[in-house]
Amino acid sequence: MTSPRLSQSTLANLTSGIAVPAYDRAKVTPGIVHLGIGAFHRAHMAVYVDDLLGSDPSWGIVGASLRRPDTKAALEPQDGLYTIAVRDAGGTHPRVIGSILSVMDANTQREALLTLMADPAIRIVSLTVTEKGYCHDPATGELDQRHADIVHDLANPGTPKSAPGMLVEALARRMAAGVAPFTVMSCDNLPNNGETAKRIVTKFAALRDAALGEWVETVAFPSTMVDRIVPSTTDADRTEVTGLIGAEDAWPIMTEPFTQWVIEDHFPSGRPAFETVGAQLVKDVEPFEHMKLRMLNGSHSTMAYTGYLGGYEYIAEVMGDAAYVKLIHGLMTEEAMPTLDMPGVDLGAYRDQLLERFRNPALKHRTWQIAMDGSQKLPQRLLGTIRDRLKAGQGIERLALGVAAWMRYVTGVAEDGSEIDVRDPHALKMMAIAADAGDDAEALFEGLVGLSEVFGSDLADNSVFRTAVVGHLESLFDEGARATVAKVAQ
Ligand code: CS2
């Protein structure tokens, strides 16, 4: 028997005991537009908002996708409803989320989306557009004015494609109509994500028009530190969730029990009472961002490249290899933690909790998924830590292995000679560099370190960095990832 589709009208007939929205969805009105309605947003912010709509229904979310229409196609027949399925060793625990009122596809509904973003009812525009969605230079955090979408949006400001272009056009319409700006809340894994978003968006606005640039200077861009591990949903997940809830969900979200959200409390146009649903509202998010990017994400990227090369498909499998665990424990303890200044936070306990989360056997988190977009991720995950340590004359052996494994990975050829599907905005450029270098570690390092948008101009000339990374690269080529990890972990 096929199950009915999850929707407002089938909500009452789900398997008994499944948690569903406890508030009247008909009373919820939009207060937030979210750009980049991917799995992460639906496992994180949309859940916090779901928790608070019962006490304040004026903060419903309208989600928008800037690239692919598939989320809209999945959620529209479901009236925006979807399941989050929390997985741990004890099983899969489903809950239906109702905070997303509708989803818009920016490519086909651009004008309607801009009109909504300009509506005074919208007081927050939040973002999970991934690192590359900011159209910036990851090494400096500045707007990349040569980016094809930015060139397009400056020439066609009324029909923008990029996130900065959409934000600025909506803000321009608010300015023209005498409507106060919305607050822009970045929820991406960027350092100082609020400040970074502000720098990029105000630059774009100023390039459009000086007066607009000045007005955008007054917009609030609070920083946030977001954390929840969210692997991509598979067909097997869809089948499992459909069986559990008794209705077909075209796009459930699979996640872990842990969730964290630290938010800079700067919302002049108002905000939901996020603190009542588990978020931490603070004055300065930066230390939390550093801690998370350097410890969680730095470990993740290192495990993704060394793990993929070593033949491990999932993070939990990597964690089954004692040498890898030792490497990651050492990377956090010896190399990342000493660079962090977190009074009142027990970093050792934070590390141990991360190792436990990475071990979650029920979470099928692919190394390949985390390996994506490394050129956008390396600067804040590994290179900042490396710079701090080099300045202090401290060792970088494990961090340098993360960088070397990335360089080895982007050659596009695995250890068994099979092709690696390298997903990265610079993939073509990097694979051309790799093809020229062959298996000459020095030449590969030389070519890739020349990507100044990733490495800036300082690291290429640093002999300690060069020696460490080239040494690891030679070992990766000659002995393979598992043997190299075992050696470096010692
Ligand atoms: C991961 C992150 O895919 C990746 O690059 O490192 O998405 C990670 O799972 C989240 O930042 C956890 O909060």
Side-chain angles (χ1 to χ4, degrees), residues 363-447:
L363 216 56
K364 297 262 178 268
H365 201 191
R366 295 178 73 192
T367 48
W368 177 81
Q369 182 185 342
I370 302 167
M372 269 188 248
D373 292 344
S375 70
Q376 314 290 301
K377 293 174 174 172
L378 246 50
Q380 57 273 20
R381 294 181 176 206
L382 296 173
L383 303 181
T385 324
I386 287 176
R387 282 195 178 88
D388 283 357
R389 293 188 64 82
L390 289 175
K391 239 178 260 158
Q394 295 160 335
I396 55 163
E397 282 304 298
R398 302 170 186 87
L399 296 160
L401 176 56
V403 177
W406 170 75
M407 291 185 167
R408 173 67 189 78
Y409 179 90
V410 301
T411 63
V413 183
E415 288 183 2
D416 63 4
S418 61
E419 189 188 316
I420 305 176
D421 180 4
V422 178
R423 301 279 175 94
D424 193 290
H426 296 308
L428 291 178
K429 207 182 338 178
M430 297 189 305
M431 287 203 279
I433 291 172
D436 282 347
D439 56 8
D440 179 342
E442 187 87 43
L444 182 61
F445 174 86
E446 198 55 47

Side-chain angles (χ1 to χ4, degrees), residues 312-361:
Y312 293 121
E313 186 174 2
Y314 299 111
I315 290 294
E317 280 174 14
V318 174
M319 292 297 291
D321 183 323
Y324 279 77
V325 175
K326 191 157 187 215
L327 174 78
I328 295 306
H329 187 283
L331 183 145
M332 290 199 268
T333 314
E334 308 295 333
E335 300 188 11
M337 278 158 56
T339 70
L340 299 169
D341 182 18
M342 296 287 302
V345 174
D346 181 346
L347 289 174
Y350 181 72
R351 171 203 59 211
D352 293 344
Q353 186 184 36
L354 287 178
L355 293 169
E356 216 34 58
R357 290 169 65 196
F358 296 154
R359 261 188 212 113
N360 186 340

Side-chain angles (χ1 to χ4, degrees), residues 17-65:
I18 302 293
V20 298
Y23 48 88
D24 180 359
R25 289 187 84 218
K27 297 215 170 81
V28 177
T29 55
I32 298 169
V33 167
H34 184 80
L35 302 184
I37 179 103
F40 181 72
H41 172 73
R42 289 195 279 145
H44 191 264
M45 178 173 166
V47 180
Y48 287 85
V49 173
D50 193 65
D51 282 335
L52 58 79
L53 286 175
S55 48
D56 186 351
S58 72
W59 291 105
I61 301 170
V62 175
S65 45

Side-chain angles (χ1 to χ4, degrees), residues 105-151:
D105 169 22
N107 285 313
T108 54
Q109 297 175 283
R110 184 172 291 105
E111 188 50 36
L113 176 57
L114 287 165
T115 303
L116 177 66
M117 289 168 75
D119 189 308
I122 300 302
R123 287 149 290 155
I124 295 176
V125 175
S126 49
L127 307 170
T128 48
V129 292
T130 79
E131 296 87 348
K132 62 177 177 280
Y134 290 79
C135 307
H136 71 311
D137 181 342
T140 60
E142 300 288 343
L143 178 71
D144 176 3
Q145 295 183 41
R146 292 162 313 171
H147 192 292
D149 289 349
I150 297 301
V151 172

